[in-house]
Amino acid sequence: MPFSLATWNINSVRLRAGLVEHFLKSEAPDVLCLQETKCPNDQFPEKTFKALGYEHIAIHGQKGYHGVATFSKRPFEDIVRQDFCEVGDARHLSVRIDIDGKKVRIHNLYVPAGGDEPDPEINPKFAHKLAFVEEMRRMRAGGEPGVSALLCGDLNIAPYETDVWSHKQLLKIVSHTPVETDGLIRAMNDGEWVDLMRRHIPMEEKIFTWWSYRAKDWAASNRGRRLDHVWGSADLADKLADVTVHTDARGWEKPSDHVPVVARFDL
């Protein structure tokens, strides 16, 4: 049974609903997880996506900031909206889906960006990010008996040297500092998650999912980072068939600075 999951930081779902619609028509993943929707629940453009066959939509949004949403062609249940760090941000959403008898919990996450200064003593945004990642250590791939798990989203950290355009030049830049990369890897290992993108794409090969709006020519400079991730429980990792990073989406009209990532499984 083929199954596909897509993740995408859309940077305003109302502004880029047309891009989401185009992606769903062309790629047709079974599940799409969006981050940074920047939309309160009552203003979310559900009808647009339900008309494409995504009749099951879970939303955790807030006005102007953050926000996550999960679309599915299949019914889901047990929707959980976790409040990380108890600050009231809409940064997590999970659902449990049944795929021909196989139960899978899907976590959709938007980790704080952390501001510009990588010092928690003077930058509250960076301190918040580190606290968020520390809480992620409690998220377990095997947390529910008999239920497999996927965790995806904009984790705002590029953990490995080949996840950034220049390891040396970004060591003191938020998203690739050692305290962040060590923390994310620790959360992944503690939770017994498998990095599915690196399971499919060799570690020596660079992967980018984000390119700054500040670049005059993002494709020519190619100064990217892998900020978007897909993790899975070990049993799903063994069923992974393919991972695709849709780099072309960065060149679409009025794009997000992130691009979609699609993981496909043979279950």
Side-chain angles (χ1 to χ4, degrees):
M1 168 61 63
F3 173 78
S4 58
L5 170 83
T7 181
W8 193 5
N9 177 318
I10 194 59
N11 193 14
S12 178
V13 67
R14 286 179 292 179
L15 182 63
R16 297 185 170 85
L19 298 186
V20 178
E21 184 176 2
H22 170 73
F23 176 74
L24 292 176
K25 286 179 177 178
S26 61
E27 297 301 321
D30 292 292
V31 173
L32 170 63
C33 294
L34 294 179
Q35 303 86 40
E36 206 172 358
T37 55
K38 297 181 176 179
C39 180
N41 292 354
D42 62 355
Q43 296 179 29
F44 197 91
E46 289 187 61
K47 291 183 180 179
T48 299
F49 309 121
K50 287 185 175 180
L52 299 175
Y54 294 85
E55 299 181 0
H56 310 280
I57 300 177
I59 308 166
H60 189 193
Q62 63 187 95
K63 184 179 180 179
Y65 298 95
H66 321 316
V68 288
T70 299
F71 305 173
S72 176
K73 294 179 178 180
R74 299 169 178 266
F76 49 63
E77 59 185 6
D78 194 28
I79 301 170
V80 177
R81 299 172 177 87
Q82 185 173 333
D83 183 10
F84 278 75
C85 304
E86 298 183 349
V87 296
D89 287 348
R91 293 184 176 276
H92 170 269
L93 174 69
S94 80
V95 301
R96 191 172 65 234
I97 191 170
D98 188 297
I99 307 170
D100 287 358
K102 187 175 186 61
K103 295 182 182 297
V104 179
R105 167 72 62 182
I106 300 174
H107 293 277
N108 183 357
L109 275 174
Y110 177 43
V111 173
D116 295 325
E117 180 60 53
D119 184 346
E121 298 298 324
I122 63 174
N123 180 5
K125 293 181 178 180
F126 194 67
H128 178 209
K129 182 177 191 175
L130 297 183
F132 193 105
V133 173
E134 180 66 20
E135 284 194 20
M136 285 178 62
R137 294 177 66 185
R138 299 200 293 267
M139 302 182 71
R140 306 281 172 166
E144 294 176 84
V147 180
S148 304
L150 291 166
L151 184 157
C152 70
D154 177 5
L155 305 188
N156 259 315
I157 298 172
Y160 302 118
E161 293 188 16
T162 47
D163 289 338
V164 294
W165 66 272
S166 173
H167 169 63
K168 184 177 180 180
Q169 294 185 65
L170 293 180
L171 274 173
K172 295 183 179 180
I173 302 298
V174 172
S175 78
H176 193 60
T177 66
V179 67
E180 296 171 88
T181 60
D182 290 350
L184 189 68
I185 292 170
R186 185 164 56 246
M188 183 170 59
N189 291 338
D190 285 358
E192 298 183 328
W193 297 98
V194 178
D195 182 344
L196 297 182
M197 295 177 73
R198 281 301 177 194
R199 176 74 171 247
H200 182 72
I201 302 170
M203 188 64 75
E204 59 269 19
E205 184 176 335
K206 287 185 179 291
I207 311 174
F208 305 149
T209 65
W210 172 92
W211 293 261
S212 175
Y213 285 132
R214 298 174 185 174
K216 291 183 179 180
D217 188 335
W218 69 273
S221 61
N222 199 28
R223 294 188 172 189
R225 307 176 202 174
R226 179 174 72 122
L227 303 182
D228 305 271
H229 297 258
V230 184
W231 297 353
S233 51
D235 63 314
L236 291 181
D238 290 340
K239 303 294 184 181
L240 182 67
D242 180 62
V243 173
T244 304
V245 179
H246 287 268
T247 304
D248 61 308
R250 185 62 179 82
W252 293 349
E253 186 175 355
K254 296 181 179 179
S256 170
D257 46 359
H258 296 253
V259 299
V261 177
V262 180
R264 296 179 177 84
F265 305 84
D266 186 0
L267 302 179

